[in-house]
Amino acid sequence: HLLIGAMLIIGMVTIPLMANTVLGTDPLEGGLRLLRMTIAIPVGAVLGGILTQRIEIRLPAAAGLILTAAGFYMMSRWDLAIADPTMTIHLAIAGFGFGLLISPVTTAAMTPAMEGDRGAASSLTTVSRMLGMTFGLAAITAWGTDHFNTLVADAPAFTSDPAIQAEISRLASDAGLEVFQAFFMAAAVISLLALIPAWIMARAD
């Protein structure tokens, strides 16, 4: 859940922010793009719950992480021309993967806990996810700001010259796109790394 929280916050922050900056959409459209991912989460959660009852929990957990990694990897290939249906498919894949993870992680935490410890087990999984979101947000903010500044360090000084203004705008847009692509790739890598504790978690069950 620590790693899931880090992945989740990267998606929740980057998707609308990317839409509202380098892609030039309004805030409503940014929210609607995020909705394309979050609306798939409960669909995956229902299927993940069914699978967790019928098969070993490592399978839906691994499937969820692989789908999430695939979705974020495809999002890391977005350019300024990204549009539907491609965008929606990529977002839905990541969201569906997140949904598949909910039941296996919860089951792995609750099943071995004694009756009197189940409240603590449940709260620890939630705290782990929140810590992951906290660390993930801090990391992308610090690294993203530094990387963006590095990419635009050689940009010309602002003047009233329309040609130079256009060049500054182009450099800023390209730098922002590169930073957002890196955020999505980081989320994909974290998702693959999470396969290791997910496998151990399942074996413990």
Side-chain angles (χ1 to χ4, degrees):
H1 250 187
L2 186 75
L3 298 175
I4 291 171
M7 294 185 295
L8 185 60
I9 196 63
I10 289 174
M12 294 182 70
V13 169
T14 302
I15 292 166
L17 186 59
M18 181 180 183
N20 297 156
T21 53
V22 297
L23 296 182
T25 66
D26 57 43
L28 176 59
E29 177 61 24
L32 291 175
R33 293 192 179 196
L34 180 60
L35 182 64
R36 290 166 167 82
M37 183 182 78
T38 57
I39 202 171
I41 294 178
V43 178
V46 172
L47 180 59
I50 295 172
L51 292 175
T52 300
Q53 293 177 331
R54 299 184 178 182
I55 61 177
E56 190 176 6
I57 63 174
R58 73 180 67 184
L59 298 179
L65 289 168
I66 291 171
L67 284 173
T68 303
F72 277 123
Y73 173 76
M74 289 183 285
M75 290 154 63
S76 75
R77 313 300 295 175
W78 284 1
D79 56 24
L80 299 180
I82 186 66
D84 284 322
T86 302
M87 179 186 62
T88 295
I89 292 172
H90 296 173
L91 291 168
I93 289 173
F96 187 77
F98 274 121
L100 283 178
L101 292 168
I102 295 174
S103 184
V105 174
T106 303
T107 300
M110 301 298 291
T111 299
M114 299 179 64
E115 185 174 353
D117 296 329
R118 288 177 181 170
S122 177
S123 65
L124 283 173
T125 59
T126 301
V127 168
S128 295
R129 184 178 68 251
M130 298 303 293
L131 284 174
M133 295 176 74
T134 301
F135 293 146
L137 181 59
I140 64 173
T141 300
W143 180 84
T145 302
D146 180 71
H147 189 52
F148 180 84
N149 288 336
T150 299
L151 292 173
V152 299
D154 296 329
F158 183 81
T159 70
S160 58
D161 187 333
I164 295 179
Q165 290 181 18
E167 177 64 11
I168 293 173
S169 178
R170 184 192 65 79
L171 289 173
S173 180
D174 290 346
L177 179 63
E178 183 175 328
V179 169
F180 291 135
Q181 289 173 335
F183 287 166
F184 289 135
M185 181 59 74
V189 172
I190 294 171
S191 184
L192 293 177
L193 290 175
L195 284 166
I196 299 172
W199 184 266
I200 298 171
M201 170 191 77
R203 288 178 63 86
D205 185 293

